[in-house]
Amino acid sequence: MKFAFGLPHTIELPAITSKWELAVTGPQQAEMVRRADELGYDMVSVPEHFVVPHSHLELSGPHYLHSTVAQAFVAGATRRIRVNSSVTILPLHHPIVLAKGLATADWMSGGRIFATFGVGWDAEEFAALGIPFHERGRMADEYLAAMVELWTSESPSFAGKYVSFDAIAFEPKPVQRPHLPIWIAGDADAALRRAARFASGWWPFLSSVDELPAKIDFIKSQPTYDGRPFDVMYPLGMGRVGEGHVTSDDPNFRPGMGKQEIVDQLCRFAELGVTYTSVPPPRLSGPEAYLEHAQWVIEEIKPHLPTLDKGRS
């Protein structure tokens, strides 16, 4: 099983953000993610919103980064760790511009960028950007197809309702082939079908861990799934925050769990198809304690978990 490092102060979510995180700056984030890289973490990811309506501030907080810009920053600060998003709100981007940004970051990082795409949930955010909220799923499908065309074709051409282009060059291509990995976020059947068509990974947010096998089977049963290797990200403590940033209890995690309890839970996750995970820290005093916990996870938890990704096919 592979481990994700949670980079502090990518959000200011009242339900889970410690007060000390609010003082963490961008340069300090670079130092912390470099340490995570040294420790052997496999992935770091960056969430995204462009604006937060006042009606959601109490739950969501105001602080979000542009995922692709932040990914490039993190990649530039590190040497080995792979850099994901969680999530990039695809319909709020122009697909040509986003494809260029991700390809640029992948090329400059030597092939360490991938992205988890979602369709968004906040109608007011869409309204602020002038994007039709109720067309976001159709837009996402078209945008993904257009981006793959840009990343893989020597002379990209695409004709759709929302984006069209022809007789153009698009360089540099991503280093990763056939293109940088696409993950899909979301739990609805439409998201699962999107994952089957485009993705090599899935990041659920509202599903319980016991629901994962059936949903993974649903993805792999779709005619558009071609047997490609497939990852599933499911953090320990996933149930604490759901869509709209509403907190809920996670029966698999409680603060203060011991080493063996955590290992047992994550071994069960692996049996159910999870290939990536993370272990939330207890309430800590600051960056040094946070990194000490991160080191403890790698040294005391990771060695006791399966090294083969049982969820991959």
Side-chain angles (χ1 to χ4, degrees):
M1 185 175 284
K2 297 180 180 180
F3 275 75
F5 175 75
L7 186 60
H9 207 191
T10 56
I11 56 175
E12 294 179 1
L13 197 62
I16 61 173
T17 304
S18 299
K19 290 183 178 180
W20 65 265
E21 292 185 55
L22 304 180
V24 173
T25 65
Q28 288 173 320
Q29 287 178 324
E31 294 175 5
M32 296 181 78
V33 77
R34 275 193 290 268
R35 179 57 179 152
D37 196 12
E38 294 168 357
L39 288 171
Y41 276 86
D42 302 287
M43 178 180 79
V44 60
S45 63
V46 184
E48 172 178 270
H49 280 292
F50 289 98
V51 298
V52 178
H54 286 171
S55 59
H56 299 146
L57 275 177
E58 185 176 354
L59 285 175
S60 298
H63 178 92
Y64 292 89
L65 305 174
H66 185 298
S67 61
T68 309
V69 174
Q71 286 177 263
F73 172 80
V74 169
T78 55
R79 299 176 62 86
R80 182 200 57 84
I81 196 169
R82 300 181 72 209
V83 190
N84 197 356
S85 59
S86 62
V87 300
T88 298
I89 308 174
L90 182 55
L92 298 183
H93 293 263
H94 191 289
I96 296 177
V97 177
L98 180 58
K100 174 64 75 171
L102 289 167
T104 298
D106 195 63
W107 186 84
M108 296 189 78
S109 68
R112 291 189 289 123
I113 300 296
F114 56 129
T116 303
F117 296 111
V119 299
W121 60 268
D122 190 341
E124 293 179 73
E125 182 176 20
F126 275 68
L129 275 76
I131 305 297
F133 181 73
H134 295 293
E135 298 179 42
R136 67 195 190 282
R138 294 187 293 275
M139 295 174 73
D141 288 337
E142 187 173 298
Y143 284 9
L144 285 167
M147 292 167 66
V148 169
E149 172 70 8
L150 290 165
W151 287 335
T152 58
S153 175
E154 290 304 312
S155 182
S157 177
F158 189 86
K161 176 180 178 181
Y162 303 103
V163 59
S164 297
F165 48 81
D166 191 23
I168 60 171
F170 183 93
E171 298 284 347
K173 303 295 187 189
V175 170
Q176 300 175 84
R177 293 290 188 265
H179 51 75
L180 61 88
I182 293 168
W183 284 15
I184 296 296
D187 304 79
D189 285 354
L192 304 185
R193 286 191 290 268
R194 189 170 295 118
R197 179 181 175 189
F198 293 106
S200 57
W202 173 48
W203 195 322
F205 282 93
L206 299 177
S207 300
S208 71
V209 70
D210 293 316
E211 294 174 308
L212 296 185
K215 293 193 174 186
I216 295 169
D217 287 346
F218 179 85
I219 291 169
K220 294 183 177 181
S221 71
Q222 300 302 303
T224 53
Y225 176 71
D226 58 6
R228 73 194 82 100
F230 198 82
D231 285 302
V232 177
M233 171 64 180
Y234 200 89
L236 190 61
M238 169 68 92
R240 294 189 301 163
V241 181
E243 185 173 283
H245 311 306
V246 177
T247 59
S248 60
D249 292 330
D250 180 4
N252 303 294
F253 175 79
R254 68 178 188 281
M257 283 176 62
K259 170 184 170 180
Q260 193 57 51
E261 291 178 287
I262 293 172
V263 169
D264 290 346
Q265 287 287 4
L266 294 182
C267 284
R268 179 169 175 265
F269 282 16
E271 291 174 354
L272 296 174
V274 176
T275 62
Y276 277 81
T277 193
S278 61
V279 179
R283 291 289 181 176
L284 299 171
S285 58
E288 290 185 6
Y290 190 86
L291 290 176
E292 287 174 2
H293 178 268
Q295 181 172 345
W296 177 81
V297 169
I298 293 299
E299 293 180 351
E300 300 296 331
I301 302 297
K302 189 173 183 180
H304 298 282
L305 299 179
T307 56
L308 296 176
D309 296 334
K310 293 183 179 180
R312 296 170 70 90
S313 64

